[in-house]
Amino acid sequence: MHGSALNNSSLPDRVSRPVLVLIGPTAIGKTELSLKLSEAFNCEIISVDSMQVYRYMDIGTAKIPPGERRSVPHHLIDIINPDENYDAVRFADDCLKAIKNIHQRSSIPLLTGGTGLYLHALKYGFFDSPPINPDVRSGLRARLNHEGVNKLHEELSLHDRISADKIHKNDTYRIVRALEVFYSSGVPLSAHQLKTTAPAARFSRMLTIGLTSERPALYRRINTRTQAMIEGGFEEEVRSLLQRGYSAELKSMQSIGYRHMHNYIAGLWSMDQMIAELSRDTRRYAKRQYTWFNKDESITWFNRNDKNLVLPFVDNWLLKQ
């Protein structure tokens, strides 16, 4: 996160009108179901996706095509350029504004996506972030490039084992962030988090639906999507981003898919290796999404093969509101 995070005292007024949420791992089929829910219950869709906020990044983020968006209003898609900063705190602010506006139009907000951190920030806020020493930040970025992420993760384990166990070894951003907090404040990130009592949820009438499937079936869908991205012009999309002047070192360009395609374009990988690495890393990302969402006991899960059961379930919930 950049700058000061949300804290308990900065929570806005509680939201008392109905809010629907549809979450699940990448490639599970959320888009199709979100459109059906929107049509059935007069919803407007708010994207809960840390990558779909970026303009010009369409194929690699699996955005719903503009033509399909015309039938249902969509929010928080294509709102910043790839070289701009965006984080969970800013998302929470933007999303709350969108929810308020949708309710004023007598529609129902439908939040859909797979970025668990963003949804958590929206529902509960964050602890106050200590100020980060700019020299610490620049030093860690230099060390990351020189020593690699594995070395920094090992270092984090020495100073903050709790955070290291929670953060995936390839999650460069969160590893550097945790080390920034420790070296700037002298206190582990996990200790800062413990000092904050989690606030009560903002939403008194929120229904969260989770879409899932057996892992082999999901992994087949991921492999199929990866191939469809390649055939759909993903290489041309990444080349266009580079030609626009967006560096491969940007946070957005280091995300899954974009860094893989850049390695191919730069001649570091063959096409076959790029596809294999992209499919593997997307599967690993799906596993991390499950790990995050499984901590949320408020989610009602449906197998993607039982999607027909979701609409009557939501209808029954709304009738009780």
Side-chain angles (χ1 to χ4, degrees):
M1 290 173 287
H2 305 279
S4 179
L6 288 171
N7 58 31
N8 295 353
S9 61
S10 66
L11 282 172
D13 294 338
R14 299 294 188 260
V15 178
S16 59
R17 298 178 68 177
V19 176
L20 300 177
V21 181
L22 174 63
I23 56 89
T26 186
I28 195 68
K30 297 183 293 294
T31 298
E32 178 186 359
L33 181 56
S34 69
L35 292 174
K36 290 181 178 179
L37 287 167
S38 298
E39 181 179 357
F41 303 112
N42 187 33
C43 298
E44 295 186 24
I45 293 174
I46 303 175
S47 171
V48 186
D49 189 296
S50 62
M51 288 300 299
Q52 292 191 358
V53 295
Y54 295 111
R55 301 183 186 100
Y56 319 124
M57 306 180 86
D58 303 328
I59 297 172
T61 63
K63 282 178 192 166
I64 183 171
E68 294 183 40
R69 286 184 230 164
R70 294 193 188 103
S71 60
V72 178
H74 283 69
H75 306 270
L76 305 192
I77 295 178
D78 294 337
I79 60 174
I80 59 170
N81 291 329
D83 57 354
E84 294 181 68
N85 290 328
Y86 200 84
D87 57 24
V89 175
R90 183 173 169 187
F91 166 80
D93 289 340
D94 290 346
C95 191
L96 284 165
K97 292 173 185 174
I99 288 171
K100 179 179 179 180
N101 290 335
I102 292 168
H103 279 150
Q104 288 177 344
R105 290 189 287 272
S106 299
S107 296
I108 298 176
L110 170 58
L111 283 57
T112 183
T115 305
L117 178 64
Y118 278 21
L119 185 60
H120 182 89
L122 174 71
K123 292 170 69 174
Y124 302 110
F126 274 113
F127 67 95
D128 276 327
S129 175
I132 301 302
N133 185 321
D135 293 336
V136 168
R137 172 167 289 165
S138 60
L140 284 169
R141 300 297 164 84
R143 289 186 55 205
L144 174 65
N145 293 329
H146 180 67
E147 301 174 28
V149 67
N150 288 337
K151 180 68 174 178
L152 292 187
H153 191 271
E154 291 174 5
E155 189 170 317
L156 180 61
S157 297
L158 295 175
H159 300 299
D160 186 357
R161 187 55 188 255
I162 295 175
S163 292
D165 288 345
K166 291 180 179 179
I167 301 173
H168 191 273
K169 292 181 179 180
N170 294 332
D171 194 338
T172 303
Y173 177 74
R174 294 180 67 201
I175 291 169
V176 171
R177 176 63 182 170
L179 286 171
E180 285 177 351
V181 170
F182 174 73
Y183 285 126
S184 295
S185 67
V187 178
L189 174 65
S190 56
H192 282 287
Q193 292 170 331
L194 285 173
K195 287 190 295 183
T196 302
T197 302
R202 290 190 170 102
F203 300 92
S204 58
R205 300 164 73 187
M206 173 180 279
L207 175 64
T208 304
I209 299 295
L211 207 56
T212 187
S213 77
E214 293 72 23
R215 296 298 174 90
L218 176 61
Y219 295 162
R220 286 194 296 271
R221 288 180 61 84
I222 287 173
N223 293 339
T224 299
R225 173 183 281 186
T226 298
Q227 192 60 45
M229 284 168 53
I230 305 303
E231 296 172 359
F234 187 39
E235 179 182 347
E236 290 76 11
E237 177 172 285
V238 177
R239 288 186 181 276
S240 175
L241 286 161
L242 294 169
Q243 290 168 1
R244 288 175 181 268
Y246 295 116
S247 167
E249 303 302 316
L250 290 171
K251 178 184 172 184
S252 61
M253 294 287 280
Q254 284 290 306
S255 60
I256 291 178
Y258 291 90
R259 70 172 183 269
H260 297 77
M261 181 56 76
H262 176 260
N263 282 347
Y264 166 71
I265 292 172
L268 302 176
W269 288 350
S270 67
M271 176 63 78
D272 287 343
Q273 182 182 2
M274 187 275 293
I275 293 174
E277 297 276 352
L278 174 52
S279 297
R280 182 202 66 185
D281 288 347
T282 306
R283 292 192 297 270
R284 288 177 175 175
Y285 175 57
K287 288 181 182 178
R288 296 198 297 275
Q289 288 177 300
Y290 271 125
T291 299
W292 183 284
F293 289 130
N294 284 337
K295 300 174 185 175
D296 189 343
E297 296 180 355
S298 71
I299 299 173
T300 302
W301 290 97
F302 288 84
N303 191 288
R304 72 173 311 275
N305 294 325
D306 297 324
K307 287 187 294 185
N308 60 308
L309 301 178
V310 174
L311 266 68
F313 181 84
V314 172
D315 187 41
N316 185 58
W317 181 82
L318 287 171
L319 287 173
K320 295 178 179 178
Q321 299 306 302

